[in-house]
Amino acid sequence: MKFHYHGHSALSLSDQQSEIVFDPFFTGNPSASGLPDDLKPRTILLTHGHEDHVGDTEALAKRADATVVAVYELAGHLEKKGLKTIGCGLGGRVKHDWGWSKMVPAFHSSSYEGQYMGMPAGIVVDFAGVRVYNTGDTCVFGDMKLIAELYQPEVLILPVGGHFTMDVYEAKKAIGLVGAKTVIPVHYNTWPPLAIDIDAFKAEVEKAQPEVTVHALKPGEVLELSPARA
Ligand code: NI
Ligand code: MN
């Protein structure tokens, strides 16, 4: 399966059968050059209702006839715009033809177009036999260990830019709590407040935790992983 990084927190996962996308923020994303024509996800997964995560969801969902999975309030708001949605709560598992998704806690906020959008979330997916934990925008918290114990993620996607989310100091701790060997940092270097030295972060993490590989993908870069349990 492939992880295609679009910059900021936008990532699509694909195999020969399916494609899904997390937080499709393209328009206004300094790391992306508009919504790519070849992106045709079956499912759009939203961690929370902020502009840099909801992004191009409406246009993309309509174009690709995709279903949007989000926390109940955000899903309901998008359904009023004519989108196909599945609204769920933290802890609820949703089955898809490509696997399943589950919303898990995140410490952040969630509002969109001036309205409260329910809880922010992290999302665990089982896609093509690979378990992925996308923490969403959050600080580090101790129950990341519980989430890892329950779902044994092989891949961890987490923000590292600080200011709105955890910074590199907290991210190192989060990586230790989750224990996934493959780490994809997101939500950094998009704007000046999120500026970090990603090479130094990668070097420090891999020195302290040699079993971990940090894949600091450049916007547009694709990481290919073979499913451990396929
Ligand atoms: Ni946010
Ligand atoms: Mn954000």
Side-chain angles (χ1 to χ4, degrees):
M1 67 173 290
K2 290 176 180 167
F3 290 76
H4 190 157
Y5 184 48
H6 306 289
H8 202 54
S9 292
L11 260 168
S12 45
L13 280 54
S14 60
D15 69 353
Q16 266 120 9
Q17 280 83 45
S18 320
E19 183 171 40
I20 65 174
V21 63
F22 288 114
D23 293 347
F25 170 53
F26 292 91
T27 306
N29 179 350
S31 320
S33 47
L35 188 56
D37 289 333
D38 57 352
L39 186 61
K40 293 191 176 70
R42 286 192 188 189
T43 310
I44 299 171
L45 298 142
L46 299 180
T47 58
H48 63 291
H50 284 158
E51 193 53 59
D52 58 321
H53 297 260
V54 178
D56 298 90
T57 293
E58 187 176 349
L60 181 59
K62 285 181 176 167
R63 189 185 80 183
D65 195 30
T67 300
V68 180
V69 179
V71 160
Y72 183 79
E73 286 81 0
L74 177 56
H77 185 78
L78 295 173
E79 195 163 305
K80 286 188 208 134
K81 296 176 187 285
L83 306 192
K84 288 194 296 186
T85 67
I86 299 175
C88 51
L90 304 187
R93 188 192 301 249
V94 177
K95 286 186 182 161
H96 305 275
D97 51 10
W98 47 262
W100 53 259
S101 63
K102 171 167 273 212
M103 296 289 170
V104 295
F107 286 85
H108 192 62
S109 60
S110 181
S111 58
Y112 188 64
E113 298 179 335
Q115 293 178 53
Y116 167 70
M117 287 293 141
M119 289 279 283
I123 305 175
V124 178
V125 298
D126 188 305
F127 179 84
V130 180
R131 290 274 176 89
V132 180
Y133 173 22
N134 180 353
T135 71
D137 282 6
T138 186
C139 56
V140 68
F141 55 94
D143 280 352
M144 287 180 164
K145 194 175 169 68
L146 174 67
I147 293 164
E149 191 184 308
L150 288 167
Y151 306 114
Q152 290 122 32
E154 297 147 57
V155 181
L156 172 65
I157 300 166
L158 85 174
V160 299
H163 196 87
F164 300 110
T165 68
M166 69 178 101
D167 56 12
V168 291
Y169 177 71
E170 290 198 0
K172 280 179 223 159
K173 184 70 186 176
I175 290 166
L177 288 173
V178 174
K181 292 189 176 69
T182 301
V183 173
I184 303 176
V186 299
H187 216 275
Y188 66 94
N189 291 354
T190 319
W191 297 288
L194 310 188
I196 62 155
D197 182 343
I198 193 67
D199 295 328
F201 172 73
K202 174 178 165 65
E204 279 175 47
V205 170
E206 291 178 354
K207 189 177 172 206
Q209 300 173 62
E211 69 286 1
V212 170
T213 304
V214 176
H215 295 273
L217 303 177
K218 293 187 175 59
E221 200 176 340
V222 176
L223 169 69
E224 191 143 11
L225 284 187
S226 47
R229 294 172 295 110

